Amino acid sequence: AHEVAHASFRHVATLQRAVPCQFEEWGNVKGQHLVLDVRKAPFVNEHGVVVGVVGTGRDVTEHQAEQDKLRLAALVLEHSSEALLITDEANAIVEVNPAFTRLTGYSREDALGQTPAILRSGRQGVEFYRRMWEALTAEGQWQGEIWNRRKDGVLFVEWLTINTLYDSHGQPHRRVALFSDVTEKKKEAELLWQQANYDLLTQLPNRRMFQDRLEVELKKLRRSSGKLAVCYLDLDHFKEVNDSLGHHGGDQLLVQAAQRILACVRGSDTVARLGGDEFTVILTDIESATSAERVAQAIVATLSQPFDLDGTPVQV
């Protein structure tokens, strides 16, 4: 018989009162950790005196380890900052964690039995979800950025990771989705990109964006026989306006000038502010130099009309 090194002597008093008991004993047997589910009962003689013990021991080491894993997993999910939902093979939600409720506003009772479509924002089309399910079917996992909607109707951006758990036959059994709110991070990233590529005053592309777009258009031309034109222009007498009306007047002039230039070109063309009173225009897919000349003349004509800067007429 194997000896368990760490016996539980606290049950001796119970047995001495002729009462059966059940408990766990654990210890190291031949260098391995062992947990036993022990059941013991007193052996009583004809005089009612306890003269021995009858017992059994069942090895529950693996079962105990599995239970410890489950308890640990439940504890992690309970206190996780990431929202979790689990769906079954029919895509019905079978479990969520508290972070899911905090993020989406849906309680556990609201979510169970529903599909993840209760969060759908409408921002992504059918093609987006088709590609997602193709990846899940082929690879069992998917991750990416997705727009969803909270219970109160507020939209948010989440970073979503989905993994598939398979049954013994290799069929999808559960899908586990973990996600976190990245709305503020996305807004910050978009703001930084905007500041890096656009002029804050006129909201036109800046020098950097102008160069990027010009490179893209030139690459297109190398694959086709089209033409483009690049126009450079500045505003005569801008310094006099700035000196007489101050920076506020100068800023107004630049904003209005940008709007007038935009009105002379197509949506596929690019108007950029390089800095100061210098602007550029990229005219794409033009037929000839005459086409560019007509646009240039229209821009000069519109910029020659008087500007109204807080009631002060100015002509440049």
Side-chain angles (χ1 to χ4, degrees), residues 161-230:
T161 301
I162 305 174
N163 285 288
T164 304
L165 305 178
Y166 298 92
D167 60 21
S168 57
H169 303 292
Q171 297 300 312
H173 176 59
R174 294 286 186 269
R175 285 195 167 90
V176 181
L178 283 167
F179 57 94
S180 56
D181 187 346
V182 295
T183 308
E184 291 305 316
K185 289 182 180 179
K186 185 175 179 63
K187 287 180 180 178
E188 291 173 3
E190 289 177 346
L191 179 60
L192 289 173
W193 185 87
Q194 184 82 11
Q195 292 173 341
N197 293 281
Y198 282 83
D199 173 47
L200 297 181
L201 177 63
T202 63
Q203 299 304 306
L204 295 177
N206 61 13
R207 182 184 296 271
R208 175 177 174 178
M209 177 63 79
F210 161 74
Q211 292 173 338
D212 288 345
R213 290 193 180 178
L214 183 58
E215 288 177 9
V216 169
E217 294 301 330
L218 289 173
K219 287 178 181 177
K220 288 180 182 178
L221 288 186
R222 295 188 187 106
R223 299 192 298 267
S224 68
S225 57
K227 297 180 176 67
L228 67 76
V230 180

Side-chain angles (χ1 to χ4, degrees), residues 18-277:
V19 179
C21 61
Q22 179 181 359
F23 54 92
E24 285 185 355
E25 286 186 344
W26 64 94
N28 292 313
V29 178
K30 294 185 177 180
Q32 292 186 341
H33 183 70
L34 187 69
V35 181
L36 297 177
D37 177 26
V38 178
R39 299 168 186 262
K40 291 184 178 181
F43 187 74
V44 184
N45 64 15
E46 65 274 16
H47 303 295
V49 178
V50 177
V51 295
V53 175
V54 178
T56 60
R58 182 169 60 93
D59 186 354
V60 293
T61 307
E62 290 186 8
H63 176 74
Q64 183 73 28
E66 289 299 322
Q67 291 299 310
D68 288 344
K69 287 181 181 178
L70 289 174
R71 282 192 291 268
L72 179 59
L75 187 63
V76 169
L77 293 176
E78 183 76 15
H79 298 283
S80 173
S81 60
E82 282 194 294
L84 168 131
L85 69 82
I86 302 173
T87 61
D88 61 15
E89 64 280 0
N91 204 34
I93 299 173
V94 295
E95 191 58 85
V96 299
N97 70 344
F100 173 90
T101 298
R102 291 194 299 270
L103 178 53
T104 68
Y106 287 97
S107 67
R108 184 172 182 272
E109 292 71 24
D110 291 333
L112 295 188
Q114 301 289 333
T115 70
I118 61 172
L119 301 174
R120 189 167 294 182
S121 67
R123 291 284 294 268
Q124 277 98 6
V126 174
E127 182 64 18
F128 174 87
Y129 291 100
R130 184 187 67 78
R131 292 196 301 267
M132 175 192 290
W133 278 103
E134 281 183 351
L136 286 172
T137 302
E139 304 170 14
Q141 59 183 2
W142 182 89
Q143 67 174 357
E145 190 178 273
I146 183 171
W147 282 89
N148 270 334
R149 188 183 302 274
R150 296 187 175 92
K151 187 177 181 180
D152 60 9
V154 175
L155 295 178
F156 67 100
V157 190
E158 66 184 49
W159 183 260
L160 172 65
T161 301
I162 305 174
N163 285 288
T164 304
L165 305 178
Y166 298 92
D167 60 21
S168 57
H169 303 292
Q171 297 300 312
H173 176 59
R174 294 286 186 269
R175 285 195 167 90
V176 181
L178 283 167
F179 57 94
S180 56
D181 187 346
V182 295
T183 308
E184 291 305 316
K185 289 182 180 179
K186 185 175 179 63
K187 287 180 180 178
E188 291 173 3
E190 289 177 346
L191 179 60
L192 289 173
W193 185 87
Q194 184 82 11
Q195 292 173 341
N197 293 281
Y198 282 83
D199 173 47
L200 297 181
L201 177 63
T202 63
Q203 299 304 306
L204 295 177
N206 61 13
R207 182 184 296 271
R208 175 177 174 178
M209 177 63 79
F210 161 74
Q211 292 173 338
D212 288 345
R213 290 193 180 178
L214 183 58
E215 288 177 9
V216 169
E217 294 301 330
L218 289 173
K219 287 178 181 177
K220 288 180 182 178
L221 288 186
R222 295 188 187 106
R223 299 192 298 267
S224 68
S225 57
K227 297 180 176 67
L228 67 76
V230 180
C231 308
Y232 287 83
L233 60 143
D234 62 8
L235 304 179
D236 292 344
H237 312 301
F238 174 73
K239 184 177 184 300
E240 288 88 329
V241 174
N242 227 14
D243 291 342
S244 60
L245 298 180
H247 290 299
H248 176 68
D251 288 348
Q252 279 188 302
L253 177 58
L254 292 171
V255 170
Q256 292 183 32
Q259 293 168 349
R260 291 188 187 187
I261 298 169
L262 282 171
C264 295
V265 301
R266 302 160 299 176
S268 58
D269 300 325
T270 294
V271 178
R273 181 189 175 206
L274 300 188
D277 63 337

